[in-house]
Amino acid sequence: MNLYEQNPYWLMKNGIVASYPSLDNGLKVAVFDRRHVGMGSTAASTAFLQYEIDTPLTELSRLVGEQNAVKSYELCRKAIYDIGDICSSLKPKFDFHLVPSLQYASFNTHTGKLKEEYQLRKKHGFKVKWLETADIKNIFSFEAPGAIFSEDGGEVDAYLLTHTLLKDFCAYDNDVYNNTHIADIANTKQGVTLQTHNGFTIKAKKLVIACGYESLKYVPKKIADIHSTYAMVSEPLDEKYFWHRNSLVWETATPYMYFRVVNDNRILIGGRDDPHHRLHIAPSLINRKTEQLTKAFLKKMPHIQLKPDFSWEGAFAITKDGLPYVGRIPERPHTYFALGFGGNGITFSVIAAEILNDLILGKKNENAKLFEFNR
């Protein structure tokens, strides 16, 4: 599967940060990537770090119960700060920023439900404020009938962070292998046996499958629909054009448009999703989507002299409740899945790492039931 088309900003900005060998020997702990590391969905990520998942808390409460819904949101919020702690622990310290977020009502008819969302989050201790039309105009310089302003959000270069984390991983005598396609996985009493595309055999006691949307082929039932999403990054701009605290901004419409400030004084805009994903996306379609994103942004922010510089399309999976799938399935003993689908893949991955660490070590994790396959 092609996980993106054309020119993701992070890949063009950073290039191939590091190169790893393909598999040619035995090992104890390793990461295998069928491509160069970070060249799949990671390069296409817009790294919009927020605790709000694609399913509003009010709707999620109806699907999984209020207690489980709130816990899921709390774990996503915690994950943002965990990412900040991880970035601070790296040497040299990795560039990460906490920024607030603004979700605005796209239409007057959306205001009532958005206010219910605000009230439920407020009830459970999330740091949110309700902004009226005049507040939004005064603080953010655009018009909307109402909005939730949240203090908890973040931004990071996901592609560069991936390479930084793997460099740190290798420093502890672990291994990373590029261009190593796993052609077959067999279950044994002792663990799993993997066959690579070029004839090597890997034996392991435990296996973690965390290859994004391509992981779906290892799950016997349908758990997600794959859509296409689009993004663009502008040419550099003067800081005078940026808005209140460089907040993450998104709307209530489905599919929604979102935008944020990225380094080099650029603006990233994403959205205009399609409910399908083709093997190849025509450049003309990406250009058309880029024009739509630009037009939609300038409708909100006509005073900003925005010009597109990079644009791309990426695969985007949607689950029935917006939550990830983390854990095991009966058909694959000794195998664990970390499937952070949806718009919160990075924060979901942090949650999955903590859960799987406990499960693999034989420890109980009280949050595992929230994301299990049979929920």
Side-chain angles (χ1 to χ4, degrees):
M1 179 189 296
N2 285 348
L3 299 181
Y4 64 84
E5 294 281 354
Q6 282 198 296
N7 302 313
Y9 169 66
W10 318 108
L11 180 58
M12 299 298 102
K13 169 179 172 286
N14 298 308
I16 298 178
V17 176
S19 182
Y20 305 93
S22 58
L23 177 64
D24 63 1
N25 65 336
L27 45 91
K28 292 183 294 183
V29 180
V31 172
F32 301 95
D33 199 313
R34 67 179 297 182
R35 304 173 178 84
H36 283 281
V37 164
M39 297 284 272
S41 295
T42 303
S45 171
T46 55
F48 206 78
L49 304 183
Q50 53 189 148
Y51 67 83
E52 304 98 329
I53 68 171
D54 292 333
T55 305
L57 185 59
T58 48
E59 182 180 341
L60 187 62
S61 295
R62 290 189 287 270
L63 293 172
V64 302
E66 188 170 320
Q67 182 179 357
N68 288 341
V70 170
K71 186 62 177 178
S72 299
Y73 266 57
E74 289 174 341
L75 288 172
C76 286
R77 179 178 60 184
K78 178 179 178 295
I80 294 171
Y81 290 91
D82 287 344
I83 293 168
D85 291 340
I86 291 169
C87 291
S88 296
S89 71
L90 296 170
K91 296 181 180 179
K93 181 179 177 181
F94 192 83
D95 191 27
F96 167 85
H97 301 285
L98 290 170
V99 292
S101 73
L102 181 85
Q103 184 184 20
Y104 66 88
S106 304
F107 308 101
N108 289 327
T109 53
H110 290 190
T111 307
K113 285 187 176 180
L114 187 61
K115 201 154 195 176
E116 288 178 18
E117 178 75 10
Y118 159 75
Q119 291 167 344
L120 185 57
R121 288 198 224 165
K122 188 77 172 178
K123 169 187 171 183
H124 289 284
F126 292 95
K127 295 183 289 185
V128 291
K129 295 179 181 178
W130 178 258
L131 301 185
E132 298 287 355
T133 303
D135 302 320
I136 301 167
K137 182 66 174 178
N138 180 53
I139 299 171
F140 286 90
S141 301
F142 70 83
E143 294 184 357
I148 300 174
F149 182 77
S150 172
E151 286 292 339
D152 300 308
E155 58 183 17
V156 72
D157 183 331
Y159 176 74
L160 192 57
L161 177 59
T162 297
H163 280 283
T164 305
L165 288 171
L166 289 177
K167 182 180 178 181
D168 187 70
F169 174 77
C170 291
Y172 289 90
D173 200 29
N174 299 305
D175 295 292
V176 179
Y177 293 94
N178 276 335
N179 299 319
T180 302
H181 174 54
I182 304 302
D184 184 66
I185 301 172
N187 300 303
T188 68
K189 290 183 178 180
Q190 292 75 31
V192 292
T193 299
L194 295 79
Q195 298 291 336
T196 71
H197 69 293
N198 52 355
F200 289 101
T201 299
I202 308 161
K203 293 184 178 181
K205 291 183 178 180
K206 305 290 183 183
L207 170 67
V208 175
I209 294 179
C211 46
Y213 316 122
E214 293 175 319
S215 305
L216 292 172
K217 65 182 179 182
Y218 299 112
V219 181
K221 66 177 182 178
K222 183 178 180 180
I223 60 172
D225 293 308
I226 302 180
H227 295 188
S228 292
T229 189
Y230 302 85
M232 58 149 285
V233 169
S234 73
E235 292 181 355
L237 291 156
D238 192 292
E239 289 186 2
K240 69 180 181 180
Y241 290 117
F242 301 149
W243 48 89
H244 180 61
R245 295 172 60 187
N246 288 355
S247 300
L248 311 174
V249 182
W250 56 306
E251 64 176 327
T252 57
T254 303
Y256 56 81
M257 177 184 69
Y258 56 94
F259 50 91
R260 73 176 180 91
V261 178
V262 299
N263 50 9
D264 300 331
N265 285 357
R266 300 172 186 264
I267 294 174
L268 181 152
I269 309 169
R272 290 296 181 266
D273 302 355
D274 288 326
H276 49 72
H277 181 73
R278 302 182 182 90
L279 184 60
H280 293 287
I281 305 295
S284 59
L285 175 59
I286 297 177
N287 291 339
R288 186 165 71 250
K289 294 289 186 175
T290 300
E291 291 175 2
Q292 292 174 0
L293 288 171
T294 302
K295 183 178 180 180
F297 176 82
L298 291 176
K299 187 176 181 179
K300 303 301 293 185
M301 301 281 204
H303 59 284
I304 297 181
Q305 299 178 9
L306 182 131
K307 296 181 181 179
D309 201 2
F310 301 89
S311 59
W312 66 96
E313 176 273 347
F316 174 76
I318 295 178
T319 64
K320 62 183 180 181
D321 51 18
L323 296 176
Y325 285 93
V326 180
R328 300 168 60 185
I329 57 176
E331 295 85 352
R332 291 189 175 273
H334 313 296
T335 297
Y336 299 81
F337 290 87
L339 307 182
F341 297 144
N344 300 67
I346 298 174
T347 51
F348 286 162
S349 295
V350 175
I351 296 169
E354 293 181 352
I355 292 173
L356 295 188
N357 179 71
D358 286 344
L359 296 184
I360 290 171
L361 294 176
K363 300 178 181 178
K364 184 178 180 180
N365 187 295
E366 63 179 12
N367 299 318
K369 66 180 184 343
L370 298 173
F371 313 113
E372 59 189 8
F373 283 80
N374 63 351
R375 64 176 185 265

